Amino acid sequence: MARRCTSSASDRRSHCEQEPSRLEAARYCIATGGIMSWLPGWNSIDGTSTIHDFFEIAGIVFLGLLVVAEVIAYAYGHRHSELVVEHDKTSSAERQQADIDKDKRHAAEAEKFRNELMSAQKASEEANNRAANLEGRVASRTLSVPEKNTILDVLAQFPGEQISIWVPMGASEAISYALEFVALFRQANWKGVENYGLNQALWSGQPPVGLTVFVSKKDVDSNSIPASAIFFWSRFNN
């Protein structure tokens, strides 16, 4: 197979003649500088050597940069994975701790509520017991026959003395109990128990419970408290 190629440096044109294959002829023409002759230094020994060395070094440098870039990319990718895992662990631990704290708060609130409920129940029971005791005491307030005889014997020693008996307004049990005293004072001929013999009043605040004996300020100042008042004071005053 015969090939022939002519090249002219003056006009940068190549003429190739091929007998069997145009493709092989084109390759041959390129290899011999027909088409690449427009590149800088293509037809110079020093130019081709310099450019060859430059691109060879450049290729090595770029290859090195590529390797370094891959290494750095791998390192950062690995670090990214580690950070993601650490973040997930931290987030999971924080969520678990938050759940624990939440459970503790709920438990503390529930315990506080139970304690308050128990305290309220205890206070209610105590109040009910006090009310029951008071009701029992109030319901049983009546003068026995010996008590009436004892009181009447003392009152009979001071006929004509003045007394005023007061009870809370509308307190039916207190009125019933006080009327027993009214009857005894009448039998002993005391003053202040005429007609109904009982006075009712409104108290500002909690009304008194039980029987309370008062004497006049005049008797207290003159240190002349009646003996009958002393008896009632020692016997009935709360």
Side-chain angles (χ1 to χ4, degrees), residues 97-211:
Q97 186 62 40
D99 293 338
I100 293 174
D101 294 340
K102 184 178 180 180
D103 293 339
K104 288 182 179 179
R105 287 195 302 271
H106 288 171
E109 292 174 356
E111 184 65 21
K112 181 180 179 181
F113 177 76
R114 284 194 295 268
N115 292 336
E116 291 177 351
L117 181 60
M118 292 177 63
S119 299
Q121 290 176 345
K122 184 177 179 180
S124 177
E125 292 176 359
E126 292 176 353
N128 291 335
N129 292 335
R130 288 195 299 270
N133 293 335
L134 181 61
E135 288 177 359
R137 289 170 55 192
V138 170
S140 62
R141 284 200 308 176
T142 184
L143 294 174
S144 64
V145 174
E147 288 177 330
K148 290 180 179 180
N149 292 334
T150 300
I151 295 173
L152 187 58
D153 289 342
V154 174
L155 296 179
Q157 301 177 24
F158 308 97
E161 290 201 24
Q162 184 74 28
I163 189 166
S164 179
I165 301 176
W166 293 83
V167 295
M169 182 170 290
S172 58
E173 190 278 333
I175 294 173
S176 176
Y177 187 50
L179 286 175
E180 294 186 21
F181 286 93
V182 170
L184 294 176
F185 282 108
R186 283 176 178 169
Q187 286 183 267
N189 295 318
W190 280 51
K191 297 179 180 179
V193 290
E194 299 83 4
N195 301 322
Y196 186 59
L198 198 61
N199 302 286
Q200 298 187 48
L202 292 174
W203 266 260
S204 58
Q206 187 69 22
V209 178
L211 191 149

Side-chain angles (χ1 to χ4, degrees), residues 59-71:
I60 294 172
V61 172
F62 282 119
L63 180 60
L65 292 175
L66 178 62
V67 172
V68 172
E70 287 295 329
V71 171

